[in-house]
Amino acid sequence: MPFHDQMPSKAVASSGSHKFSKSGVKLREIKLKNGKVRKLPVLPKKAYALNTEAKRVRPALRTRKPRQLKLKKNLTPGSVCIILAGTHKGKRVVFLKQLPSGTCLVTGPYKLNGCPLRRVPQHLMVTTSLKIDISNVKVPANLDDKYFSKKKAPKSSAKRTKDGDIFEETKQKYELTEERKQTQVAVDSQIVNAISANKEKALICAYLNKPFELTRGMVPHKLKF
């Protein structure tokens, strides 16, 4: 039998049915517009998966739970610390506890050095060797991060002009609420009582009252706080 007789026709070659005839794959006939019949293999569903399969579900990203920062070994409730930055820079304060956000809750007390209840990051404080026994001090449960969060003022509807913000409302000044005043007095009174119970209460009060400052000849890395 000549070789050209074994060659498939153009229609069969274009469909590729001659490749599946010997392999046992089923063929289906499709009528074309020109009246010719074309044989196509009936492939399994896996062959059509690219067009019909659903979109691949991406694996969920690993969500890390926020870990609370570890406190320094020498930073314990009652430790006296020095604030290094901010409006109360250089003041000596008493550490009360660590808040869920990782910041430290401190107080002056306010009567001694004018520092109220504040949140201070521990890397902005230097812990001293002085420690006050505040085991009997009860810190209110409402002193958390929400207690110190500031409420955003509503945006003013005033229109701006070319010359300036003539019609803009003046910024509202921050005013202490009665709740903050009461909590400040409640906490400070307990700490003052704890200081007064100490034998060296006069020295401790003078130490907390005087702000820290560097003078000529003082080398910070050689100081023992």
Side-chain angles (χ1 to χ4, degrees):
M1 193 174 181
F3 177 75
H4 61 82
D5 293 338
Q6 298 179 4
M7 293 286 291
S9 61
K10 290 182 179 180
V12 174
S14 61
S15 64
S17 61
H18 63 286
K19 298 179 182 180
F20 301 96
S21 59
K22 294 181 180 180
S23 61
V25 178
K26 294 181 180 180
L27 301 174
R28 58 194 179 100
E29 295 182 353
I30 297 176
K31 290 184 179 180
L32 303 176
K33 291 182 179 180
N34 56 5
K36 295 181 180 180
V37 178
R38 187 176 181 181
K39 294 182 180 180
L40 295 175
V42 180
L43 300 176
K45 292 182 179 180
K46 293 180 181 180
Y48 304 99
L50 293 174
N51 296 330
T52 58
E53 69 176 353
K55 290 184 179 180
R56 183 168 61 99
V57 180
R58 295 184 178 181
L61 297 174
R62 293 181 181 178
T63 54
R64 294 182 180 179
K65 295 181 180 179
R67 296 180 181 178
Q68 192 173 17
L69 294 173
K70 293 183 179 179
L71 288 175
K72 301 173 186 177
K73 293 181 180 179
N74 58 350
L75 186 59
T76 54
S79 299
V80 177
C81 306
I82 301 171
I83 299 176
L84 300 178
T87 54
H88 300 280
K89 178 174 60 176
K91 291 184 179 180
R92 296 179 172 94
V93 294
V94 181
F95 170 68
L96 299 177
K97 68 174 184 178
Q98 187 183 24
L99 298 176
S101 62
T103 54
C104 301
L105 179 64
V106 298
T107 184
Y110 186 78
K111 288 184 178 180
L112 294 178
N113 53 22
C115 184
L117 288 164
R118 290 181 67 83
R119 292 181 298 174
V120 182
Q122 60 177 329
H123 69 274
L124 295 179
M125 293 193 305
V126 175
T127 310
T128 63
S129 57
L130 179 60
K131 187 176 179 180
I132 301 168
D133 185 14
I134 61 169
S135 56
N136 296 327
V137 176
K138 294 181 180 180
V139 181
N142 63 339
L143 286 175
D144 52 3
D145 294 308
K146 291 182 180 179
Y147 179 83
F148 293 98
S149 60
K150 294 181 180 179
K151 295 181 180 180
K152 293 183 179 179
K155 293 182 179 179
S156 61
S157 59
K159 296 182 179 179
R160 294 185 179 182
T161 60
K162 295 181 180 179
D163 299 333
D165 301 338
I166 299 173
F167 302 102
E168 190 175 2
E169 297 177 359
T170 56
K171 293 183 179 179
Q172 295 180 355
K173 293 183 179 181
Y174 175 74
E175 294 180 359
L176 278 174
T177 58
E178 290 295 329
E179 182 185 3
R180 286 212 172 190
K181 291 179 182 179
Q182 291 176 2
T183 51
Q184 185 71 51
V185 172
V187 174
D188 285 357
S189 60
Q190 296 180 69
I191 293 174
V192 170
N193 292 336
I195 294 171
S196 59
N198 197 322
K199 295 179 180 179
E200 300 177 348
K201 58 181 179 180
L203 292 174
I204 294 173
C205 290
Y207 182 74
L208 292 172
N209 189 14
K210 187 178 180 181
F212 173 78
E213 56 185 1
L214 290 172
T215 57
R216 184 178 294 180
M218 294 177 66
V219 186
H221 64 276
K222 291 185 178 180
L223 294 175
K224 292 184 179 180
F225 295 96

